[in-house]
Amino acid sequence: PQAFRSERLAIRPLSQDGKFGIFFAAHQIAAIDLRDPKSVNYVPEQV
């Protein structure tokens, strides 16, 4: 999204195989499940 334009994001593995978190600084902002390529789950602001 535009909010992260020109910002660096990190993709880090999560505790379950095939799942990765998208992080901005120390905050997880989304998750990707590679076992289900259509799956991108957004993490609510109140984490």
Side-chain angles (χ1 to χ4, degrees), residues 21-36:
I22 310 300
F23 290 83
F24 176 69
H27 304 284
Q28 183 178 348
I29 57 171
I32 298 172
D33 185 348
L34 294 181
R35 297 170 294 169
D36 181 10

Side-chain angles (χ1 to χ4, degrees), residues 2-36:
Q2 291 291 331
F4 298 107
R5 187 176 184 183
S6 301
E7 298 292 340
R8 291 181 182 231
L9 300 176
I11 301 173
R12 299 180 185 146
L14 298 176
S15 59
Q16 295 177 341
D17 285 340
K19 288 196 174 188
F20 292 83
I22 310 300
F23 290 83
F24 176 69
H27 304 284
Q28 183 178 348
I29 57 171
I32 298 172
D33 185 348
L34 294 181
R35 297 170 294 169
D36 181 10

